[in-house]
Coordinates of all heavy atoms in Angstrom, one line a residue:
L256 N 45.3 -12.1 42.6 CA 46.0 -12.9 43.5 C 45.9 -12.5 44.9 O 46.3 -13.3 45.8 CB 47.5 -12.9 43.1 CG 47.9 -13.3 41.7 CD1 49.4 -13.2 41.5 CD2 47.4 -14.7 41.5
F260 N 42.1 -16.6 44.5 CA 42.2 -16.8 43.1 C 42.1 -18.3 42.6 O 41.7 -18.6 41.5 CB 43.5 -16.3 42.5 CG 44.7 -17.1 42.8 CD1 45.2 -18.0 41.8 CD2 45.4 -17.1 44.0 CE1 46.3 -18.7 42.0 CE2 46.5 -17.9 44.3 CZ 46.9 -18.7 43.3
I274 N 54.8 -24.6 39.4 CA 54.3 -23.3 39.3 C 55.4 -22.3 39.6 O 56.2 -22.5 40.6 CB 53.1 -23.1 40.3 CG1 52.0 -24.0 40.0 CG2 52.7 -21.6 40.4 CD1 50.9 -24.0 41.0
A276 N 56.3 -18.3 40.5 CA 55.8 -17.0 40.9 C 57.1 -16.1 41.0 O 57.8 -16.1 42.0 CB 55.1 -17.1 42.2
I279 N 56.4 -11.6 42.5 CA 55.1 -11.1 42.7 C 54.7 -11.2 44.2 O 53.9 -10.5 44.7 CB 54.0 -11.8 41.9 CG1 54.0 -13.3 42.2 CG2 54.3 -11.6 40.4 CD1 52.7 -14.0 41.7
I280 N 55.3 -12.2 44.9 CA 54.8 -12.5 46.3 C 55.0 -11.3 47.2 O 54.1 -11.1 48.1 CB 55.5 -13.7 46.8 CG1 54.7 -14.3 48.0 CG2 57.0 -13.5 47.2 CD1 54.9 -15.7 48.3
L283 N 51.7 -9.1 47.4 CA 50.5 -9.7 47.8 C 50.1 -9.3 49.3 O 51.0 -9.2 50.1 CB 50.5 -11.2 47.7 CG 50.7 -11.7 46.3 CD1 50.8 -13.2 46.3 CD2 49.6 -11.2 45.4
N285 N 48.3 -11.2 51.2 CA 48.4 -12.4 52.0 C 49.2 -13.5 51.3 O 48.7 -14.4 50.6 CB 47.0 -13.0 52.3 CG 47.0 -14.1 53.4 OD1 48.0 -14.7 53.6 ND2 45.9 -14.3 54.0
P286 N 50.6 -13.4 51.4 CA 51.4 -14.3 50.6 C 51.3 -15.8 51.1 O 51.4 -16.7 50.3 CB 52.8 -13.8 50.9 CG 52.7 -12.9 52.1 CD 51.3 -12.4 52.1
F287 N 50.9 -16.0 52.4 CA 50.8 -17.3 52.9 C 49.6 -18.0 52.2 O 49.7 -19.2 51.9 CB 50.6 -17.3 54.4 CG 51.8 -16.8 55.2 CD1 51.8 -15.5 55.7 CD2 52.9 -17.6 55.3 CE1 52.9 -15.1 56.3 CE2 54.0 -17.2 56.0 CZ 54.0 -15.9 56.5
R288 N 48.5 -17.3 52.1 CA 47.3 -17.9 51.4 C 47.7 -18.3 49.9 O 47.3 -19.3 49.4 CB 46.1 -17.0 51.4 CG 44.9 -17.6 50.7 CD 43.7 -16.7 50.8 NE 43.9 -15.4 50.2 CZ 43.3 -14.3 50.5 NH1 42.4 -14.3 51.5 NH2 43.6 -13.2 49.9
F289 N 48.4 -17.4 49.3 CA 48.9 -17.6 47.9 C 49.6 -18.9 47.8 O 49.4 -19.8 46.9 CB 49.7 -16.4 47.4 CG 50.4 -16.7 46.1 CD1 49.6 -16.6 44.9 CD2 51.7 -16.9 46.0 CE1 50.2 -16.8 43.7 CE2 52.3 -17.2 44.8 CZ 51.6 -17.1 43.6
V290 N 50.6 -19.1 48.7 CA 51.4 -20.3 48.7 C 50.6 -21.6 49.0 O 50.7 -22.6 48.3 CB 52.6 -20.2 49.7 CG1 53.3 -21.6 49.9 CG2 53.6 -19.2 49.3
R291 N 49.6 -21.5 49.9 CA 48.7 -22.6 50.2 C 47.9 -23.0 49.0 O 47.7 -24.2 48.6 CB 47.8 -22.3 51.4 CG 48.5 -22.5 52.7 CD 47.4 -22.4 53.8 NE 46.7 -21.2 53.9 CZ 47.0 -20.1 54.5 NH1 48.1 -20.1 55.3 NH2 46.3 -19.0 54.5
E292 N 47.4 -22.0 48.3 CA 46.5 -22.2 47.1 C 47.4 -22.8 46.0 O 46.9 -23.6 45.2 CB 45.8 -21.0 46.7 CG 44.7 -20.7 47.7 CD 43.8 -19.5 47.3 OE1 44.0 -19.0 46.2 OE2 42.9 -19.1 48.1
C293 N 48.6 -22.3 45.8 CA 49.5 -22.9 44.8 C 49.8 -24.4 45.1 O 49.8 -25.2 44.2 CB 50.8 -22.1 44.7 SG 50.7 -20.5 43.9
A294 N 50.0 -24.7 46.4 CA 50.2 -26.1 46.8 C 49.1 -27.0 46.4 O 49.2 -28.1 46.0 CB 50.5 -26.1 48.3
M296 N 47.2 -26.7 43.9 CA 47.1 -26.8 42.4 C 48.3 -27.7 41.9 O 48.3 -28.1 40.7 CB 47.2 -25.5 41.7 CG 45.9 -24.7 41.9 SD 45.9 -23.2 40.9 CE 46.9 -22.1 41.9
L303 N 57.0 -25.6 43.5 CA 56.6 -24.2 43.5 C 57.9 -23.4 43.6 O 58.7 -23.5 44.6 CB 55.7 -23.9 44.7 CG 55.4 -22.4 44.9 CD1 54.6 -21.8 43.7 CD2 54.5 -22.2 46.2
V305 N 59.4 -19.7 43.9 CA 59.0 -18.3 44.3 C 60.3 -17.5 44.4 O 61.3 -17.9 45.0 CB 58.3 -18.3 45.7 CG1 58.0 -16.9 46.1 CG2 57.0 -19.1 45.6

Side-chain angles (χ1 to χ4, degrees):
L256 300 180
F260 78 96
I274 297 174
I279 63 165
I280 200 158
L283 299 177
N285 191 337
F287 295 103
R288 181 176 59 207
F289 172 76
V290 171
R291 281 192 300 271
E292 291 186 1
C293 285
M296 290 188 281
L303 173 60
V305 178

